[in-house]
Amino acid sequence: MGKFYITTPIYYINSVPHIGHAYTTVIADALARWHRLRGDDVFFLTGLDENSAKTLEAAKERGFKDIQAYADSMANLWLSTWRLLEISNDDFIRTTQERHRKNVIELFERIRSKGDIYKGTYEGLYCEGCEAYYTEADLIDGKCPLHLTRPKWLKEENYFFRLSKYADALLKHIEENPDFIQPEARRNEVVNFIKQGLKDISVTRQNQQWGIDVPGEPGQKIWVWFDALINYLLPKKYWPADVHIIAKDIIRFHCIIWPSMLLSAGLELPKRIFAHGFLTVEGQKISKSLGNVIDPAYLVEKYSADVVRYFLIREVSFGQDGNFSEASLEARLNDELADILGNFVHRVLTFIRDRFNSRVPEGKVDRKLEEEILQRVEKIERLLLELKVSQALDEIMAIARRGNEYFQSCKPWEAIKKEKEKAADCILSCVNLVKILCVSLTPFMPEAAAKLAKQLAIEVKHWNQAKAFDIRPGHVIGEPVALFAKLKKAEGPKEKLISIEEFGKLDIRIGRVLAAERVPKSKKLLKLEVDLGREKRTLVAGIAEKYAPEDLVGKNIVVLANLEPAKLMGVTSEGMLLAAEDEAGVSILVTDRPVKPGSKVR
Ligand code: ME8
């Protein structure tokens, strides 16, 4: 088998990972795992782009004096997110590492020695978000199309890279290698852009404090994109990359600048660059300011890594734009993973356990079904070679769907009563389908597939195991367990909401604390005497770890006044003080002016 070197972009560390990053990384991971399963010599590289001016800004914003310490903490966060998502990268590159700096300098010097780097003055519109110069024609209403901000006018003495020199060679390469840039729409976009003419680009920056120094000229830093792209050269023995997976936002850097740098340096070009679409969240662009950045770790904790991986790969046809919503994730979990896949597998395995004493029965395989399924597996293989991951997963699910239909049509639970052989034939074919599902799902949902392999009492070692009905009569299976728990259907909004009348049942009032003391022998409880307007009440509140009694006297607090009295450590509490709680502990609710005691809260 061959070598397979796959990469993701290296992500900026000014922000935390979100599902857009998870999308690219999960897809690259599934492909890497699939190639490993085929026996290929795989190298899967992901990492972080740390030398950006954005890193410096973000570190300062968060009060870090030591920028590297900030970068280290972000690297931990990104790495732990990838571990949670079962990402199986072979290395994790950080551009602040010395091994990367060395590679950058080496390539810079190599390109310089070819006469393709020269000194000049640059003046132009600069987008700080992209860290790139733009021409008027690139802008929409004078703004960067990606960041929707107005670029600044910048004039600097820089080093330039002779990008213009490579336009023809690049066009020729794209023409001769139709797979080089995918999908086709992106390829056309790149071709049109090159045909408009390429200008030389400045590849160093003046007056920056963070980044890689141009050798011998500490006043100049190497431009972050020139630096970042070189990360891909890290595993030298695996170069050229078989595929760079990126999204459409960074195609010009990857499909124009990067190949030109490589042409200049006399290195091979990557074999393929696949630019997928952009995900929105609930229909909106993912952005910090919109507050819709979903932490993949949260989703993993709630639904498991496999479910998140499945959803990300399955939801959007790879290459197209798509949308993320928790409701559609839950629908796919219930309707596909639990009802189709989980159901089929569980029915077959429990049938073997209950009716055949966990032993695969003697019988005849349905040759027609076998042929149909093996053709599907071939199709899956073809799709994966073409990077059509969502379609491949769809095809795998079609096998599960077919399995359910088959099981349903031969009704082994009835056949077993009169025609035991017919039931045995059906089950022998079905258990082979379960095995094929197990093998083919391994790259996509590694945990669920491992669980299933255990139930089948098989070891998944090679993709070829998906290409045969080789579970034979007599094979003893393990204990069946449900693979995916179905979520209870979320209650309709009417049932979840309460009416204003229901809210009105709560008698919430302002109380003024007259006296406070610790409840003896309790670390948590304080006893408060509270003026509620017409009456005085005793309240017991679990806030002693955060508040000293003297902090509270005179404060206007919020009290649920019509709560049944309750005895706490021997003291009767006649109502409840309201407080909020987060990781830092409790925080009592108070009014922002001395409202009259007894006032109602609505
Ligand atoms: O561009 N939908 O880093 P970055 C889908 N450091 N994918 C998304 C996405 C979304 N809404 N948002 C981000 C950089 N991505 C540079 C790369 S490489 C030499 C340097 C994914 O942190 C997608 O893969 O902005 C996109 O290309 C990448 O994150 C951009 O990551």
Side-chain angles (χ1 to χ4, degrees):
M1 282 282 143
K3 134 196 119 69
F4 185 72
Y5 173 29
I6 183 168
T7 68
T8 72
I10 48 171
Y11 305 109
Y12 287 128
I13 55 167
N14 60 319
S15 61
V16 295
H18 61 58
I19 52 157
H21 308 115
Y23 180 69
T24 317
T25 312
V26 159
I27 283 176
D29 183 70
L31 286 165
R33 284 177 184 268
W34 181 65
H35 279 271
R36 276 191 209 110
L37 198 56
R38 291 177 80 219
D40 289 338
D41 178 12
V42 171
F43 200 89
F44 169 24
L45 184 64
T46 186
L48 298 173
D49 189 350
E50 302 185 358
N51 292 328
S52 157
K54 292 194 251 259
T55 301
L56 191 69
E57 252 169 62
K60 281 189 182 156
E61 235 169 62
R62 285 167 223 192
F64 276 84
K65 286 209 185 75
D66 181 348
I67 313 302
Q68 192 61 48
Y70 168 75
D72 293 347
S73 73
M74 290 306 278
N76 283 338
L77 177 74
W78 281 79
L79 256 175
S80 68
T81 305
W82 297 155
R83 290 294 85 89
L84 286 174
L85 269 168
E86 300 283 323
I87 302 302
S88 66
N89 51 304
D90 294 293
D91 203 336
F92 189 75
I93 188 160
R94 300 179 51 194
T95 55
T96 51
Q97 290 164 339
E98 178 57 19
R99 58 179 183 167
H100 172 71
R101 195 191 69 84
K102 269 201 197 135
N103 278 347
V104 171
I105 299 303
E106 199 183 304
L107 203 80
F108 186 87
E109 293 297 11
R110 196 155 159 175
I111 294 177
R112 179 145 67 175
S113 73
K114 296 279 166 75
D116 284 341
I117 284 181
Y118 62 93
K119 216 164 195 178
T121 308
Y122 200 91
E123 208 171 343
L125 291 163
Y126 190 71
C127 169
E128 285 178 338
C130 296
E131 300 203 38
Y133 281 103
Y134 282 112
T135 62
E136 292 282 356
D138 295 326
L139 307 178
I140 297 176
D141 296 335
K143 290 181 183 165
C144 161
L146 219 62
H147 293 90
L148 310 176
T149 50
R150 273 180 207 286
K152 280 189 188 157
W153 192 261
L154 221 65
K155 185 179 175 183
E156 289 192 344
E157 171 145 300
N158 293 146
Y159 283 99
F160 283 71
F161 169 58
R162 277 185 220 285
L163 185 65
S164 57
K165 182 172 153 189
Y166 293 97
D168 292 340
L170 201 53
L171 275 177
K172 185 162 170 269
H173 184 84
I174 296 172
E175 225 158 74
E176 286 170 0
N177 299 275
D179 286 348
F180 180 53
I181 300 167
Q182 289 176 13
E184 207 185 326
R186 300 293 157 219
R187 176 173 182 258
N188 295 339
E189 198 181 317
V190 171
V191 167
N192 289 338
F193 189 82
I194 303 175
K195 282 188 174 159
Q196 286 167 22
L198 295 182
K199 288 209 181 77
D200 292 352
I201 53 168
S202 90
V203 291
T204 64
R205 294 287 181 269
Q206 241 179 354
N207 308 321
Q208 278 196 2
Q209 299 146 37
W210 186 248
I212 297 179
D213 288 327
V214 174
E217 275 185 72
Q220 293 272 357
K221 302 276 184 206
I222 292 182
W223 177 43
V224 65
W225 269 102
F226 191 91
D227 151 351
L229 289 160
I230 296 169
N231 93 83
Y232 298 132
L233 293 181
L234 180 78
K236 282 205 172 70
K237 90 168 221 246
Y238 286 90
W239 189 258
D242 290 81
V243 56
H244 291 315
I245 306 276
I246 59 170
K248 62 182 186 181
D249 54 337
I250 52 181
I251 48 172
R252 287 191 199 169
F253 302 103
H254 282 79
C255 303
I256 299 174
I257 298 177
W258 177 226
S260 301
M261 286 163 66
L262 291 164
L263 284 172
S264 167
L267 295 173
E268 275 185 81
L269 303 194
K271 292 194 188 132
R272 278 182 294 184
I273 301 165
F274 190 104
H276 63 67
F278 246 49
L279 292 186
T280 48
V281 166
E282 315 281 351
Q284 284 187 307
K285 183 177 171 203
I286 303 176
S287 98
K288 238 200 278 181
S289 50
L290 287 174
N292 62 355
V293 173
I294 298 184
D295 179 0
Y298 152 82
L299 293 174
V300 170
E301 192 179 325
K302 191 161 171 195
Y303 301 103
S304 85
D306 282 343
V307 171
V308 178
R309 290 170 65 103
Y310 175 81
F311 178 78
L312 287 176
I313 301 173
R314 181 73 184 76
E315 178 76 357
V316 186
S317 170
F318 193 48
Q320 308 288 310
D321 289 333
N323 181 47
F324 175 91
S325 89
E326 263 193 84
S328 18
L329 183 149
E330 292 187 359
R332 286 204 188 268
L333 166 55
N334 280 349
D335 305 345
E336 296 174 13
L337 292 177
D339 280 355
I340 297 173
L341 176 66
N343 186 42
F344 171 59
V345 162
H346 205 56
R347 282 174 99 183
V348 174
L349 296 181
T350 49
F351 201 90
I352 298 177
R353 178 193 60 194
D354 298 343
R355 305 305 184 103
F356 296 109
N357 202 17
S358 296
R359 195 174 286 274
V360 174
E362 288 293 338
K364 289 191 297 297
V365 162
D366 181 337
R367 295 294 165 200
K368 244 178 95 186
L369 180 74
E370 180 179 11
E371 198 181 318
E372 178 198 322
I373 298 299
L374 297 186
Q375 266 173 18
R376 279 191 193 274
V377 176
E378 259 174 45
K379 184 169 173 199
I380 293 167
E381 199 168 280
R382 264 199 321 277
L383 289 168
L384 286 172
L385 286 170
E386 291 168 14
L387 309 174
K388 296 193 169 134
V389 272
S390 50
Q391 293 89 329
L393 191 50
D394 195 17
E395 205 54 43
I396 297 174
M397 290 306 285
I399 297 180
R401 216 170 277 125
R402 182 75 179 91
N404 265 324
E405 271 167 31
Y406 191 79
F407 191 89
Q408 201 60 27
S409 69
C410 52
K411 298 190 173 50
W413 61 95
E414 276 178 16
I416 191 121
K417 293 178 202 151
K418 301 168 271 176
E419 305 164 274
K420 200 164 176 188
E421 279 157 28
K422 217 177 129 194
D425 291 349
C426 169
I427 290 298
L428 180 61
S429 292
C430 284
V431 74
N432 275 291
L433 250 59
V434 172
K435 188 216 58 182
I436 288 172
L437 286 169
C438 173
V439 177
S440 55
L441 285 170
T442 294
F444 297 94
M445 294 190 281
E447 280 175 0
K451 242 171 141 181
L452 185 53
K454 201 163 166 223
Q455 298 177 41
L456 276 167
I458 61 162
E459 237 184 285
V460 177
K461 290 194 195 129
H462 200 282
W463 173 253
N464 285 345
Q465 289 169 276
K467 297 178 175 172
F469 271 41
D470 57 2
I471 296 229
R472 306 244 185 265
H475 175 79
V476 177
I477 63 160
E479 180 56 27
V481 220
L483 284 184
F484 298 100
K486 204 167 162 165
L487 291 175
K488 287 202 192 74
K489 280 259 180 293
E491 287 163 355
K494 277 223 176 85
E495 286 155 294
K496 260 204 298 204
L497 302 177
I498 63 165
S499 66
I500 189 79
E501 287 78 22
E502 283 171 285
F503 177 72
K505 288 186 192 161
L506 305 176
D507 185 19
I508 306 175
R509 292 183 185 274
I510 299 303
R512 184 164 299 154
V513 181
L514 302 171
E517 60 183 82
R518 289 184 168 277
V519 173
K521 292 200 202 109
S522 168
K523 266 202 277 184
K524 285 199 173 159
L525 300 179
L526 289 185
K527 178 178 151 194
L528 312 177
E529 291 304 323
V530 177
D531 176 3
L532 268 190
R534 270 166 298 170
E535 55 179 324
K536 292 198 176 59
R537 293 265 188 104
T538 301
L539 302 186
V540 180
I543 55 173
E545 286 173 328
K546 271 279 168 204
Y547 295 89
E550 57 275 18
D551 296 340
L552 295 166
V553 177
K555 280 225 157 73
N556 267 358
I557 58 168
V558 184
V559 178
L560 177 59
N562 62 341
L563 185 71
E564 293 173 348
K567 223 176 196 171
L568 298 164
M569 297 285 284
V571 187
T572 303
S573 183
E574 305 158 317
M576 183 167 82
L577 164 147
L578 299 187
E581 188 169 16
D582 64 10
E583 314 82 60
V586 287
S587 166
I588 61 168
L589 302 189
V590 292
T591 58
D592 71 351
R593 67 171 174 83
V595 182
K596 244 198 253 156
S599 308
K600 188 135 171 74
V601 176
R602 300 181 234 271

